[in-house]
Amino acid sequence: MQESDIEINVKGWVRTKRGSKNVAFIALNDGSTIHNLQLVVDLEKIPESALAHIHTGAALSVDGVLVPSAGSGQKVEMSVNRIEVLGTAHPDEYPLQPKKHSLEFLREKAHLRFRTNTFGAITRLRHAMTFAVHKFFNDKGFYNIHSPIITGSDAEGAGEMFHVTTMKLDAIPKTAEGRIDFKQDFFGKEANLTVSGQLEAELAALALSKVYTFGPTFRAENSNTSRHLAEFWMIEPEVAFFDINDDMDLAEEMLKYLINYALEHCADDLAFLSKRQEEEEKTKKAEERSMELIEKLKFVLDQPFERITYTEAIDILRDSKQNKKGKFQYPIDAWGADLQSEHERYLVEKHFKKPVILTDYPRDIKAFYMKQNDDGKTVRAMDVLFPGIGEIIGGSQREEVYDKLLSRIKEMDIPMESMWWYLETRKFGTVPHAGFGLGFERLMLFLTGMGNIRDVIPFPRTPFNLEF
Ligand code: 4AD
Ligand code: MG
């Protein structure tokens, strides 16, 4: 038997159908690749009436034989023997037509947008990156920790939490003093969705040495930007015996590993996303256009990241033309200011022209757990800043000295009852340790060249947006 005689079955969804008198062409896609399979239907073999219900969006099961393609778009195509319509999609009703839809429109059709080229590519890339994260850490001897999603503490101490309760909201029990009586709630105390798995990862690192979490995290910050989600995924390694320099080395190595993995395993999807971005860029002014996607990924791989202190960054920003001409929305005048994304991007895109790791931030703008420097002013924090994104990673060496941590917790008015277990690790076999958090969707923004974080997670959760 010749190879071309082997009949195979394919199933998928119709992207387009076109035809002439004797032959019909159907582009079929099952989501496994950006490329469609071209079905060639000989209308002498299969009556046109059998194709009447085949429109964009319909699901088919098709038997046929793969043959070298006469057309230029593909190497092979399928010569169809039998065709079965599994599910129709009425052309007057199906929202996705074979034309370019806006990303805003597709957000409203998030139940169907997986079926577009763009979201198919992003979804496959997101999967590959999830796998690569686990592979990276597994190969390095890290253990994956499942940190809890419901917690009783605020890991970042920023109070940006969603409450979790089974109390009836229209009849919340009160104490004699008129406060909410959480003793009557499900857990007998106040509960919320976690903002970070770090504190639990620290507990595990102080026994297993090298651990990481990769889970959903929740922030009730009301920031309606293209880089913030209320529900996002975070990767948080935590390593015993690491200092801040080891931490930076790990962060840089991991980011480069993931970017390289994408280049090696997702070439077709990246090529598609690159073309998509190029189209998008045409609408922008020349100076606002970003680098071609694959070139940008390789560029980051080739560069050692710049490492400077917050204090050095403030000097650069304060003396910049941008600042002097009043072009920052938030002008930089004094040491101590929190950096906005416009400042982070200036450092990365204009000044150094490569990723930057900023260290030793003022302690007053960072979380309670960060290791305090001897200057009494700064902490051993490190943020990784990326082109087009700003902060992609936030991390630090942790305060491992019991008394120093305790005094910081008291200074910052963090409720002690919820923190006793965290403090106790500093009493029993405490060691220097460090870790960081990579925002998975920020990484996906960088890799895909998409402009809005709502388009790199299947079902984004943002203020006033909870459909699907
Ligand atoms: O800088 P953050 O708040 O750090 C932590 O949560 C630490 N506990 C991490 C650690 O040391 N283990 O958040 C870490 C990263 C940010 O750099 C950013 O990439 C991402 O998480 N991130 C968000 N991504 C999307 N939407 C939001 N609202 C985000 N907030 C933070
Ligand atoms: Mg941060």
Side-chain angles (χ1 to χ4, degrees), residues 319-365:
D319 297 342
S320 68
K321 270 194 203 140
Q322 202 103 344
N323 195 48
K324 288 181 177 157
K325 284 190 191 160
K327 285 203 174 153
F328 283 134
Q329 196 187 340
Y330 297 90
I332 295 284
D333 39 32
W335 191 92
D338 204 354
L339 298 185
Q340 305 295 325
S341 135
E342 58 175 345
H343 308 126
E344 296 170 343
R345 293 185 56 181
Y346 175 85
L347 291 168
V348 171
E349 292 162 29
K350 299 267 160 28
H351 191 83
F352 288 109
K353 297 191 167 60
K354 57 174 156 171
V356 176
I357 311 184
L358 285 193
T359 61
D360 303 286
Y361 281 74
R363 63 179 208 156
D364 292 338
I365 58 171

Side-chain angles (χ1 to χ4, degrees), residues 156 219 338 344 361 365-366 369-370 382-383 391-395 437 442:
E156 290 301 301
R219 304 252 169 126
D338 204 354
E344 296 170 343
Y361 281 74
I365 58 171
K366 287 292 183 188
Y369 51 71
M370 295 191 179
M382 68 103 184
D383 278 8
E391 180 190 336
I392 195 165
I393 280 180
R442 300 254 173 111

Side-chain angles (χ1 to χ4, degrees), residues 6 110 123 136 153 202 244 258 311 319 375-376 455 457:
I6 302 172
T123 305
F136 173 77
S153 56
E202 281 189 58
I244 188 175
L258 295 175
T311 304
D319 297 342
D375 63 10
D455 298 325
I457 187 165

Side-chain angles (χ1 to χ4, degrees), residues 248-265:
M248 288 192 276
D249 290 345
L250 180 69
E252 184 166 342
E253 185 187 346
M254 178 183 72
L255 286 168
K256 288 181 169 171
Y257 177 91
L258 295 175
I259 293 167
N260 189 53
Y261 190 95
L263 286 167
E264 279 185 3
H265 294 85

Side-chain angles (χ1 to χ4, degrees), residues 197-213:
Q198 176 194 325
L199 303 190
E200 288 84 2
E202 281 189 58
L203 311 183
L206 293 173
L208 293 136
S209 296
K210 295 191 275 186
V211 302
Y212 71 104
T213 68

